[in-house]
């Protein structure tokens, strides 16, 4: 059996990858494409919110057949739905705190003892002790008994 590792120690892992040049160029192209798209989306909503009509956002509004008022209404509906869910979850949190208090359910399980393993009746006691004492064991036959169904 493997002993659990201590959880308070953090290891830093640095992963370096060598990319082939065509893959790097393709990923750079798609990354730039997504960034440009994101800027256009933010500008589209910001121009509707600020009620400005420049050439680029105007083209988008013509393409989507919408106006600044409709986009603002859409954003207002989205914010309203967000606030409704936020209030609902705040209410639910308050209800659970009042009903259950500040219970902390996250506890470390108790360590498994040899007696606990023996009560399972899956292995003989000698095998359990050998497994706990050694770092490496090799079995030619499965030491775990089959469970009766």
């Amino acid at each position: 059996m493997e002993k659990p590792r201590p959880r308070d120690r953090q290891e830093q892992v640095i992963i370096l990858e060598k990319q082939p040049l065509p893959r790097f160029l393709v990923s750079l192209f798609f990354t730039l494409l997504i960034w440009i798209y994101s800027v256009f989306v933010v500008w589209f909503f910001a121009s509707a919110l600020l009620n400005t009509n420049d050439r680029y956002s105007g083209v988008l509004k013509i393409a989507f057949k919408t106006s600044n008022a409709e986009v603002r209404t859409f954003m207002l509906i989205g914010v309203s739905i967000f606030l409704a869910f936020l209030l609902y979850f705040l209410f639910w949190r308050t209800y659970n705190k009042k009903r259950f208090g500040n219970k902390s359910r996250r506890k470390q399980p108790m360590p498994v003892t040899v007696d606990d393993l023996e009560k399972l009746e899956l292995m003989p006691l000698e095998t359990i002790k050998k497994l706990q004492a050694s770092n490496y064991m090799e079995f030619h036959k499965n030491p775990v008994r089959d469970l009766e169904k």
Side-chain angles (χ1 to χ4, degrees), residues 1-18:
M1 288 190 180
E2 185 176 333
K3 294 182 179 178
R5 295 178 295 166
R7 295 178 187 228
D8 56 345
R9 186 179 56 179
Q10 289 185 350
E11 296 178 12
Q12 290 185 345
V13 177
I14 298 174
I15 300 173
L16 297 175
E17 181 185 8
K18 272 190 161 183

Side-chain angles (χ1 to χ4, degrees), residues 16-27:
L16 297 175
E17 181 185 8
K18 272 190 161 183
Q19 289 186 357
L21 184 62
R23 183 177 171 191
F24 172 74
L25 291 176
V26 168
S27 67

Side-chain angles (χ1 to χ4, degrees), residues 130-146:
K130 282 182 187 175
L131 282 171
Q132 287 191 332
S134 63
N135 289 331
Y136 175 79
M137 285 187 80
E138 185 174 336
F139 293 101
H140 298 287
K141 184 180 170 189
N142 188 0
V144 179
R145 292 183 208 145
D146 289 332

Side-chain angles (χ1 to χ4, degrees), residues 11-110:
E11 296 178 12
Q12 290 185 345
V13 177
I14 298 174
I15 300 173
L16 297 175
E17 181 185 8
K18 272 190 161 183
Q19 289 186 357
L21 184 62
R23 183 177 171 191
F24 172 74
L25 291 176
V26 168
S27 67
L28 181 69
F29 172 73
F30 281 110
T31 302
L32 287 174
L33 194 68
I34 295 299
W35 274 107
I36 290 169
Y37 172 76
S38 300
V39 167
F40 273 114
V41 168
V42 167
W43 179 245
F44 176 74
F45 285 109
S47 67
L49 190 64
L50 301 173
N51 203 17
T52 59
N53 285 319
D54 63 349
R55 185 178 353 166
Y56 303 111
S57 64
V59 169
L60 286 175
K61 288 167 192 160
I62 289 171
F64 292 131
K65 296 179 183 173
T66 184
S67 65
N68 285 341
E70 290 173 343
V71 174
R72 280 195 301 264
T73 303
F74 174 74
M75 290 191 315
L76 183 65
I77 290 170
V79 169
S80 300
I81 291 172
F82 173 78
L83 289 176
F85 274 101
L86 181 70
L87 289 175
Y88 171 74
F89 286 125
L90 285 175
F91 168 76
W92 189 250
R93 177 179 172 261
T94 306
Y95 168 76
N96 281 328
K97 280 225 173 199
K98 284 196 178 221
R99 180 170 181 188
F100 299 111
N102 289 328
K103 288 184 179 177
S104 177
R105 296 178 184 225
R106 297 180 184 255
K107 294 179 183 174
Q108 290 290 329
M110 298 297 291

